Amino acid sequence: MPDLAPVHITTRSGDVRVLTEEGIELSVEGGTVEQHDDGTIHVRRAPSASRIEVRCAPGTDVTVGTMSGKIELLGNLGAVRVATASGKIRVVEAASIDVRTKSGKIDIGTCSGECRIMTKSAGVHVGSAARATVAAISGVVLLDQVGGAEVKTVSGKVLLSLAPSAGPVSVHTVSGKVEVRVPAATRPTTRLRSISGRIQCDCPPGEDGEIAVASVSGAIRVSSD
Amino acid sequence: MAEHGAIVFTDIVGFTALTDTHGDDVALALLERQEEMVRAARPLTARVVKELGDGLLLWFDDPRDAIDTCLRLQRDFDAVNEAADSGPLGAIADVGNVPLWVRMGVHWGCPRRRGDDIVGRDVNLAARIVDLAGPGEVLCSEATAEVIGERAGVGFEPLGPVFVRGLTEPVPIVRVLSAAGEGCGDRTDGRVRGTASR
């Protein structure tokens, strides 16, 4: 299989949509295309267009830089990087993900590697990830079927469901409530600490992975499916 | 006269929300702890240009010193937070057991001096870079990474071109990793590379 040229898409505003298609090299609507010396393909929104649509081969690395507008990355991509200020972000499937935004909504389907999300107030949903690193000031962080996680929020609530045989989990909040669900019959090692929040653990102790949760005033609950 | 150097912004993550929920005394204690640790870590060739609402503006003559200091500071902040996690409850009562999460942005540029202050596009860009960072992270412009080049113990992960408020053109941004960080020296695109060896 030939090397896939990474695609960089930039537009100050307007929607961005990326789809994958077997056998296709690259197809762009609403944008200008330029190949740089390092092999990367740069797509910029054409002045007359209101959105960019890119079709590329599955597994392509895609980087998107915008200020606003909806970003939809559909299909099965390689390394995905998104930096924007606001707007809805949807990534269906990628090998690794780095998303940075101030606000909006972040919806990740499946990430087979590291899924890193940095936001101020966006709501976050991850369907599944080998490992998730999430930092948020506020906004709900919902992580399903993650194989390990490191989460930091100030006031955002954290709801986390672990995949079977998950690796270490570390959650820190200041005032956000934390709920961790582990697969049935899992006996994790837990380190739960809250200065003024209620702590509840319904799982028997064991050595099936480590769960560390610390909060200043948020309640903590660890339970099994 | 203008001279080149590394402009660094530090920023306490969630400071406004923390001040709202935990009060001014905790906020003040966090600021003081940040400044004390930054002043202790900075080399002789660096200076604190000014204190900001929830962070600091720093100047480094040498960009390598800037990156090394930022990475060392993040390890120091981690150590403080981990000690608070594992110590007895209330052990760091001065900051109300609130973690000190700091993010940092670095840009190599040539700002203009105005007394002890520095101003200009490069300062604005450094301020926008820190806005993209998460707690514990150090981000820099690709220009900074290119000036530094290969450096033992430091890796650069390109994040791609990014639009930032107030600038017309997108700016390539890079995530800075210490040797301990996963993915050090990985290069999937862009021109920046680094080494993972110490």
Side-chain angles (χ1 to χ4, degrees), chain B residues 2-8 59-61 63 106-112 118-119 121-123 125-126 141 143-144 147:
Chain B
E3 58 185 322
H4 276 87
I7 303 150
V8 176
W59 171 265
F60 289 77
D61 292 343
V106 185
H107 177 55
W108 168 254
C110 187
R112 300 298 179 267
I118 50 175
V119 296
R121 180 193 180 275
D122 289 328
V123 179
L125 175 53
S141 58
T144 311
V147 159

Side-chain angles (χ1 to χ4, degrees), chain A residues 48-74:
Chain A
S48 57
S50 61
R51 74 169 195 168
I52 300 173
E53 183 166 306
V54 173
R55 288 175 188 270
C56 58
T60 302
D61 294 346
V62 173
T63 300
V64 181
T66 73
M67 282 292 281
S68 62
K70 186 162 74 175
I71 297 167
E72 287 183 296
L73 306 183
L74 313 172

Side-chain angles (χ1 to χ4, degrees), chain A residues 6 8 10-12 38 44 63 65 67 81 83 98 100 114 116 118 135 137 152-154 172 174 193 195 214 216, chain B residues 13-14 22 84-85 87-89 97 101 132 134-135 137 157-159 161-163 167-170 175 182 188-189:
Chain A
H8 290 188
T10 52
T11 175
R12 182 165 287 278
D38 61 5
R44 299 191 70 159
T63 300
M67 282 292 281
R81 301 181 185 91
D98 185 298
R100 291 158 197 274
E114 167 87 16
R116 189 188 306 131
M118 304 291 169
I137 307 298
K152 291 175 179 167
T153 77
V154 175
H172 282 79
V174 176
R193 181 184 168 98
I195 306 296
V216 178
Chain B
V13 177
H22 288 80
D85 272 355
L89 293 177
N97 286 90
W101 292 330
L132 292 162
E137 276 193 318
E157 177 191 349
L159 296 179
V162 169
F163 271 106
L167 298 185
T168 316
E169 290 297 310
R175 185 166 178 253
E182 62 174 337
T188 53
D189 67 339

Side-chain angles (χ1 to χ4, degrees), chain B residues 4-27:
Chain B
H4 276 87
I7 303 150
V8 176
F9 277 89
T10 73
D11 178 68
I12 297 177
V13 177
F15 186 76
T16 306
L18 292 170
T19 306
D20 186 47
T21 53
H22 288 80
D24 294 345
D25 290 339
V26 166

Side-chain angles (χ1 to χ4, degrees), chain B residues 9-59:
Chain B
F9 277 89
T10 73
D11 178 68
I12 297 177
V13 177
F15 186 76
T16 306
L18 292 170
T19 306
D20 186 47
T21 53
H22 288 80
D24 294 345
D25 290 339
V26 166
L28 187 62
L30 283 171
L31 282 175
E32 285 174 349
R33 176 159 293 181
Q34 177 196 220
E35 185 170 351
E36 178 187 311
M37 291 173 70
V38 168
R39 286 189 185 278
R42 82 194 152 96
L44 291 173
T45 51
R47 68 183 177 95
V48 176
V49 176
K50 63 182 169 187
E51 298 164 17
L52 308 165
D54 50 2
L56 299 164
L57 170 57
L58 312 172
W59 171 265

